[in-house]
Amino acid sequence: MSFQEDISKLMMLAYAARIAAARDQLYRDAGTQTNPTEGDDFAKTEDKSAELDNDNDMPAPAPVPAIMHSKARGHIDEAGLFVCECGSKMANKAKNIASHLSIKHNDQAAYVKKHSVSPHKCYRCLKEFQHFCAFEAHIRNSYDFRGSTEQIWKDWQETEEGTIITFPNTN
């Protein structure tokens, strides 16, 4: 603890002692030993001191909101959004987190499979793609491929890494 923190802590302790002494005097003057009432000024002072964090005499931090899904791993950011360990941000609601977990963190999900690293090549330009989704975007944008990619996906899954993937001509 630094010198300045020590001084600050001593000043807060002296202030608390003065408040306690004044409260005791009030009780003696009133001839009672009951707690201050809601409308009493000392009760208000006591409430404010209860809000202070005893370690550093600063206002206590706001409570951290709970993550709304039991299997989620991550934290809540300043905006109240859930931040997954993978870096994705979403509303801190069970349905949003469950959807994210089932799509991004389930090994059997189609999304995960299509984004898994498995390099294959385009048969037209021989450009290599690490993920099926990138390959799919390539053939749709570069070669104006339209229609289902189910058969192409099956070919991707069934062939070894580095294989050249063919697809129907659209011209």
Side-chain angles (χ1 to χ4, degrees):
M1 201 182 296
S2 72
F3 178 74
Q4 190 172 14
E5 289 172 334
D6 288 341
I7 296 294
S8 177
K9 193 162 205 121
L10 288 172
M11 289 175 60
M12 288 303 291
L13 289 172
Y15 177 71
R18 284 196 311 262
I19 290 174
R23 186 181 307 128
D24 290 345
Q25 184 63 40
L26 176 70
Y27 292 152
R28 280 191 291 280
D29 291 347
T32 179
Q33 289 297 317
T34 60
N35 288 330
T37 61
E38 289 280 329
D40 193 0
D41 287 342
F42 288 107
K44 291 177 187 169
T45 303
E46 186 174 273
D47 288 343
K48 288 180 183 176
S49 65
E51 295 172 3
L52 294 178
D53 182 0
N54 291 333
D55 291 338
N56 57 13
D57 300 325
M58 297 294 291
V64 177
I67 296 172
M68 302 310 285
H69 194 283
S70 61
K71 294 183 180 178
R73 289 183 293 188
H75 65 277
I76 307 299
D77 70 1
E78 305 82 34
L81 296 175
F82 171 70
V83 181
C84 182
E85 65 184 1
C86 71
S88 297
K89 289 184 178 185
M90 67 215 67
N92 186 23
K93 294 183 179 179
K95 66 180 184 177
N96 298 65
I97 298 170
S99 175
H100 168 75
L101 292 174
S102 69
I103 291 171
K104 299 277 184 135
H105 297 285
N106 177 2
D107 292 340
Q108 300 305 311
Y111 178 89
V112 172
K113 288 180 180 179
K114 289 184 177 182
H115 284 84
S116 64
V117 175
S118 176
H120 287 74
K121 294 181 182 178
C122 171
Y123 87 97
R124 288 194 180 173
C125 64
L126 299 180
K127 184 174 180 181
E128 187 173 85
F129 295 90
Q130 301 295 315
H131 310 283
F132 178 76
C133 288
F135 176 72
E136 183 180 26
H138 167 72
I139 63 175
R140 290 193 186 282
N141 295 331
S142 300
Y143 305 113
D144 202 31
F145 179 83
R146 299 291 176 253
S148 174
T149 56
E150 282 184 41
Q151 186 58 47
I152 301 169
W153 171 236
K154 286 179 185 174
D155 294 345
W156 183 283
Q157 289 178 301
E158 293 170 359
T159 59
E160 294 181 20
E161 291 184 3
T163 302
I164 296 174
I165 301 294
T166 60
F167 53 93
N169 288 329
T170 54
N171 296 343

